[in-house]
């Protein structure tokens, strides 16, 4: 499968614990995005990387959230001291710099449940 | 920032009929408007998109129209089939991030 992949697909954790998600973009894509989707809503932008540089962070991304893309390939999203309000689907997307359009391809998501 | 409104939130049509979903956006700098289809428990999949220098684009049974002056764009699905049943999201983008609408749950009744 040459599409965007995410791991794990599901994560159940207790409030206060830290969690980390991984995203592997399409191999030639240098742009990577994280979105959060709650039930009945559209995805909401969290952050954006071009290669290893994090170029934009949404106000939705509190200090408890941190994202990295150390070698410009895969990315990780860490949530510290999880809260019940963090329960959501976390989606990763990637796009190619050569595109005229900002066509973003999404991964299957990581569903986080905070108890 | 950008704000995207999408209507209706739910839509039921008989198989073979047409479906229309409408979106409005607020930021005149937005120039890229994709539509995604999301089936239950699956990833959003891009089905069609349009840039602001084009007024209409068609791909088989799916078409999108854009009115830049009025800041609205629409998705048209003709000859609907049961497999078209899903949640459809519109989005707008001026640079990199996509701002999504809240989605339309389309049900095609056989």
């Amino acid at each position: 499968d040459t599409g965007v992949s995410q791991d794990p697909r599901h994560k159940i954790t207790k409030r206060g614990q830290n969690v980390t998600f991984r995203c592997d973009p399409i191999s030639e894509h240098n742009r990577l995005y994280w979105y959060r989707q709650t039930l009945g809503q559209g995805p909401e932008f969290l952050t954006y990387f071009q290669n290893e540089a994090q170029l934009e962070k949404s106000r939705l991304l509190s200090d408890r959230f941190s994202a990295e893309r150390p070698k410009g390939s895969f990315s990780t999203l860490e949530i510290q001291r999880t809260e019940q309000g963090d329960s959501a689907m976390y989606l990763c997307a990637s796009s190619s710099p050569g595109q005229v359009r900002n066509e973003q391809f999404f991964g299957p998501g990581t569903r986080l449940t905070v108890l | 920032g950008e704000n995207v409104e999408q209507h209706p939130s739910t839509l039921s049509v008989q198989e073979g009929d047409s479906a229309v979903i409408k979106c409005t956006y607020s930021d005149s700098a937005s120039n890229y408007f994709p539509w995604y289809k999301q089936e239950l428990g699956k990833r959003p999949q891009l089905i069609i998109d349009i840039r602001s220098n084009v007024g209409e684009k068609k791909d088989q049974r799916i078409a999108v129209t854009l009115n830049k002056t009025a800041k609205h764009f629409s998705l048209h699905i003709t000859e609907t089939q049961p497999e078209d049943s899903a949640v459809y999201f519109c989005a707008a983008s001026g640079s990199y991030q996509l701002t999504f609408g809240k989605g339309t749950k389309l049900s095609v009744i056989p």
Side-chain angles (χ1 to χ4, degrees), chain B residues 41-60:
Chain B
K42 296 193 175 180
R43 72 186 75 193
Q45 289 197 306
L46 180 68
I47 56 171
I48 196 167
D49 56 13
I50 192 168
R51 283 185 61 85
S52 58
N53 58 350
V54 176
E56 184 174 356
K57 183 177 177 181
K58 190 173 181 181
D59 182 5
Q60 299 183 349

Side-chain angles (χ1 to χ4, degrees), chain B:
Chain B
E2 176 65 275
N3 182 50
V4 176
E5 299 284 339
Q6 182 172 348
H7 299 280
S9 56
T10 60
L11 179 59
S12 291
V13 298
Q14 291 290 330
E15 182 178 358
D17 287 350
S18 296
V20 180
I21 303 170
K22 298 183 179 182
C23 290
T24 60
Y25 62 99
S26 61
D27 189 348
S28 56
S30 289
N31 58 10
Y32 174 63
F33 307 91
W35 286 87
Y36 285 83
K37 175 183 180 182
Q38 189 174 32
E39 296 177 59
L40 192 62
K42 296 193 175 180
R43 72 186 75 193
Q45 289 197 306
L46 180 68
I47 56 171
I48 196 167
D49 56 13
I50 192 168
R51 283 185 61 85
S52 58
N53 58 350
V54 176
E56 184 174 356
K57 183 177 177 181
K58 190 173 181 181
D59 182 5
Q60 299 183 349
R61 297 186 297 108
I62 294 174
V64 58
T65 59
L66 171 66
N67 183 327
K68 246 193 120 180
T69 303
K71 296 200 191 81
H72 63 71
F73 55 113
S74 301
L75 177 71
H76 304 253
I77 306 174
T78 58
E79 300 171 19
T80 53
Q81 301 167 1
E83 51 265 37
D84 294 329
S85 296
V87 179
Y88 291 80
F89 293 97
C90 63
S93 173
S95 54
Y96 44 83
Q97 76 177 73
L98 296 176
T99 301
F100 285 83
K102 292 189 175 182
T104 297
K105 184 177 181 181
L106 174 64
S107 300
V108 180
I109 304 164

Side-chain angles (χ1 to χ4, degrees), chain A residues 4-6 22-25 29-36 43-51 53-56 67 69 73 75-77 90-97 99 101-107, chain B residues 32 36 93 95-98 100:
Chain A
V4 179
S5 61
Q6 292 186 245
R22 176 179 170 127
C23 170
D24 286 89
H29 286 185
N30 74 336
R31 295 175 180 171
L32 187 147
Y33 315 80
W34 285 97
Y35 291 84
R36 180 172 67 188
E44 294 175 295
F45 171 77
L46 293 178
T47 191
Y48 158 63
F49 289 86
Q50 182 161 308
N51 298 312
Q54 188 174 19
L55 298 185
E56 186 68 23
R69 195 182 182 199
S73 56
S75 175
T76 58
L77 177 68
Y90 290 84
L91 293 163
C92 175
S94 69
S95 68
S96 167
Q99 294 165 195
R101 317 184 309 273
N102 183 21
E103 187 178 8
Q104 296 184 20
F105 297 89
F106 281 84
Chain B
Y32 174 63
Y36 285 83
S93 173
S95 54
Y96 44 83
Q97 76 177 73
L98 296 176
F100 285 83

Side-chain angles (χ1 to χ4, degrees), chain A residues 49-66:
Chain A
F49 289 86
Q50 182 161 308
N51 298 312
E52 66 275 8
Q54 188 174 19
L55 298 185
E56 186 68 23
K57 290 170 62 173
S58 164
R59 285 170 292 179
L60 292 175
L61 216 63
S62 76
D63 291 344
R64 297 184 297 105
F65 287 70
S66 62

